Amino acid sequence: MDLINLEEEEKRKIRALLVGAPNADISELEGLVKTLGYEIARSVILARMEQNPVYGFGKGKAEEIAALSKELDCDLIIFDFEISPRKQRNWEKLAKIPVIDRQEVILRIFASRAQTKEAVLQVQLAQLEYARPRLAHSYGDMARQRGGNFGAKGSGETQLELDIRKIREKIQQLKKELEQVVRDRETQRKRREKIPLPTCALAGYTNAGKSSLLNALTGSDVFVEDKLFATLDPTTRKLQLKSSIKTSEDEKGFGANILLTDTVGFISNLPHSLVNAFKSTLEEAQRANLILLVLDASDEKAEFQYNTVVKVLEEIGAENTPRLVILNKIDKLTENPAQLAKMTSLFPEAIKISAKTHEGFELLSKKICDELLGREIPCLIPLEKQALLNEARKTGIILEENWLDDGIHIKIKGGELKKNPRLSNLLAPYAESGAIKTGTEEKESGFKKKFGSDW
């Protein structure tokens, strides 16, 4: 082979044959494979699955798929369901090319996307725990080597044992490093909690537009790309919720600050190894005071994606956290009234927005304000205590502000925050009788019952 052919071979995309379970929708796997940059040679849906310990289904069908992969000049066979290490070895002996499942595809995507130290450590740990029982399959007699995978040094039981020991030691090392990273994250979280700001987490299916929404709301520059799992690392930014108030002069916008966090995207059948590895990342959604569940309104499978996200939230213990459903990318539905009607019917209370055009942002801000900051509190602040207004604006929203002879008349949201007793105690002497229930009240307010002991 001359130099030109070698260059062409190097640039050639990996061709993959996809195999799906009976009656399964393989489009999601196709999206994952394209995200990796692989070329899909063909997708095959099995007619039935038999209980076969060798290949998972009948030998005849297995030989047919192996022959098809050879006919299509495939470099890889990818199954849309999990296959055991033993079946994986049997398949590679039969097909003479690498065989992987959906879980390894997701791991490869995560490995290519990880940027921060924590994400890299989490992905490496998940990869090693996945690879350990499958290590032996890379020591077989195959026509092509598994590039970039474990066990490329040679074959033999001694080498296999050495590599397994190395993996075990590496796993222990990664766990220790992750423990330190988690402690550092906990320290940072405690520092944030000293500042009494409500927290809000963006959760949703991968590629629903969460990072775009974070950028649009906060003016940040989080990496955005129209691909699955474009971002893995949680990003927290400060968001000011604005509310128009009328004064004697003009109309001004004052607003409270909240912390808004973008979390890793969810997907159906997310490997448990990744759920465990990204536990500290997903805790941002678990610990949030409010979850914004973002859906792609233009996606026909939005209902399925909603159910997937809800399931993952249950798995991480965030099922009781208050949430708002947000239909993003509403700008794409201007010429698709049928999809708009469908989404409105499925999610009648959802907030329709567009991270691209900022449509619906005013309503979204109001809803977040209502959920996080509670009811309006009327107060009469003496003119000599006007410095209290600065404190009120930091963690609350002033809805009305009128300067009169007897003092400053305001209506504020946020005066009952249990995480901010300072504001409650400062405003209590100037609030209408019984308007503010401070931490000394024995009877729980409806707001506390709704949001739990943190409030």
Side-chain angles (χ1 to χ4, degrees):
M1 183 179 291
D2 58 27
L3 184 61
I4 297 177
N5 290 337
L6 279 172
E7 187 176 347
E8 289 178 354
E9 180 69 16
E10 197 172 309
K11 290 181 178 180
R12 187 175 69 89
K13 284 188 176 182
I14 294 176
R15 289 173 57 82
L17 173 64
L18 311 188
V19 181
N23 303 317
D25 183 0
I26 207 170
S27 60
E28 190 171 87
L29 179 63
E30 291 174 347
L32 291 168
V33 172
K34 289 177 181 177
T35 297
L36 272 177
Y38 296 171
E39 180 184 342
I40 300 174
R42 187 175 299 180
S43 298
V44 176
I45 304 295
L46 298 174
R48 63 181 183 274
M49 293 280 286
E50 301 174 5
Q51 295 299 325
N52 187 303
V54 181
Y55 302 111
F57 45 87
K59 182 179 179 182
K61 188 64 176 179
E63 291 176 343
E64 180 183 328
I65 290 175
L68 180 61
S69 68
K70 185 176 181 180
E71 177 187 339
L72 297 173
D73 193 25
C74 293
D75 307 291
L76 191 67
I77 297 177
I78 303 177
F79 289 97
D80 194 28
F81 46 86
E82 186 177 352
I83 56 175
S84 67
R86 180 182 177 183
K87 292 186 179 74
Q88 191 173 13
R89 290 193 290 271
N90 293 335
W91 267 102
E92 293 192 338
K93 288 179 181 177
L94 175 67
K96 301 294 189 288
I97 56 175
V99 176
I100 64 176
D101 58 14
R102 174 194 182 91
Q103 184 168 340
E104 187 166 341
V105 172
I106 296 175
L107 283 169
R108 291 187 180 190
I109 294 174
F110 272 51
S112 66
R113 299 287 183 175
Q115 297 292 330
T116 65
K117 179 181 179 181
E118 181 179 8
V120 171
L121 290 174
Q122 288 166 332
V123 170
Q124 287 179 351
L125 178 60
Q127 283 182 312
L128 289 174
E129 290 181 336
Y130 175 82
R132 184 166 54 180
R134 291 169 167 78
L135 186 61
H137 80 118
S138 62
Y139 288 88
D141 236 355
M142 293 185 292
R144 304 184 188 187
Q145 293 183 2
R146 293 172 62 90
N149 280 325
F150 305 104
K153 289 185 176 181
S155 60
E157 186 177 0
T158 303
Q159 184 64 49
L160 174 60
E161 291 175 345
L162 287 172
D163 285 353
I164 289 177
R165 188 181 305 118
K166 288 179 182 178
I167 287 181
R168 192 182 302 118
E169 292 171 353
K170 183 66 174 176
I171 286 175
Q172 294 302 320
Q173 178 189 341
L174 288 173
K175 285 183 176 180
K176 288 181 180 179
E177 292 185 45
L178 266 176
E179 286 174 2
Q180 182 59 49
V181 172
V182 171
R183 284 195 293 269
D184 293 341
R185 177 185 287 278
E186 190 65 27
T187 301
Q188 294 172 358
R189 184 181 288 118
K190 287 180 179 178
R191 287 176 181 170
R192 289 202 304 265
E193 289 176 351
K194 289 181 180 178
I195 305 173
L197 295 181
T199 57
C200 191
L202 293 167
Y205 216 73
T206 178
N207 207 30
K210 299 185 300 300
S211 298
S212 298
L213 180 57
L214 179 73
N215 289 341
L217 288 171
T218 65
S220 56
D221 56 351
V222 176
F223 176 74
V224 174
E225 189 175 358
D226 188 17
K227 284 187 177 181
L228 303 182
F229 299 116
T231 53
L232 293 182
D233 306 296
T235 304
T236 301
R237 295 288 185 269
K238 188 181 289 186
L239 169 65
Q240 185 179 44
L241 298 175
K242 293 185 178 180
S243 179
S244 297
I245 65 168
K246 293 183 179 180
T247 66
S248 56
E249 299 177 359
D250 54 9
E251 208 172 82
K252 298 179 181 178
F254 292 94
N257 291 320
I258 68 168
L259 296 179
L260 185 62
T261 301
D262 179 22
T263 61
V264 63
F266 300 161
I267 196 169
S268 62
N269 300 323
L270 186 67
H272 284 285
S273 59
L274 283 178
V275 172
N276 292 331
F278 280 79
K279 188 175 181 181
S280 61
T281 301
L282 296 173
E283 278 180 355
E284 296 296 331
Q286 183 185 15
R287 291 169 178 261
N289 304 122
L290 176 67
I291 293 176
L292 302 183
L293 202 162
V294 184
L295 297 174
D296 181 353
S298 64
D299 197 316
E300 295 286 342
K301 301 173 186 175
E303 183 180 11
F304 167 77
Q305 294 175 359
Y306 170 82
N307 293 329
T308 299
V309 174
V310 170
K311 183 179 178 182
V312 176
L313 288 175
E314 291 175 355
E315 289 179 5
I316 64 174
E319 67 274 15
N320 295 323
T321 304
R323 67 177 71 127
L324 293 175
V325 179
I326 298 174
L327 298 180
N328 191 23
K329 306 183 184 181
I330 202 72
D331 55 293
K332 291 186 175 182
L333 299 183
T334 53
E335 298 180 2
N336 190 355
Q339 176 69 5
L340 179 60
K342 175 185 173 183
M343 297 304 295
T344 303
S345 174
L346 288 172
F347 307 101
E349 297 184 0
I351 305 166
K352 301 180 182 67
I353 68 159
S354 169
K356 183 178 180 180
T357 65
H358 296 195
E359 179 183 350
F361 275 22
E362 186 175 343
L363 177 60
L364 175 60
S365 180
K366 181 181 182 303
K367 290 289 187 180
I368 294 175
C369 174
D370 292 343
E371 289 290 338
L372 287 178
L373 303 181
R375 62 192 179 96
E376 295 180 15
I377 304 294
C379 299
L380 174 58
I381 299 176
L383 293 173
E384 62 271 17
K385 298 286 185 178
Q386 58 183 278
L388 285 177
L389 292 178
N390 293 329
E391 185 73 26
R393 287 165 183 157
K394 289 179 182 177
T395 53
I397 287 187
I398 297 178
L399 302 173
E400 289 186 13
E401 178 181 329
N402 294 303
W403 293 59
L404 303 176
D405 293 339
D406 60 341
I408 309 168
H409 294 255
I410 66 169
K411 286 185 179 179
I412 180 174
K413 283 191 174 186
E416 287 186 307
L417 290 182
K418 299 301 177 183
K419 291 178 67 176
N420 188 15
R422 172 179 168 80
L423 179 61
S424 298
N425 293 333
L426 287 173
L427 292 179
Y430 311 109
E432 288 187 0
S433 178
I436 294 182
K437 292 182 174 64
T438 61
T440 59
E441 294 284 348
E442 292 184 2
K443 186 178 180 181
E444 291 184 348
S445 69
F447 188 62
K448 179 178 178 182
K449 289 179 181 178
K450 182 177 182 182
F451 284 93
S453 58
D454 282 343
W455 296 85

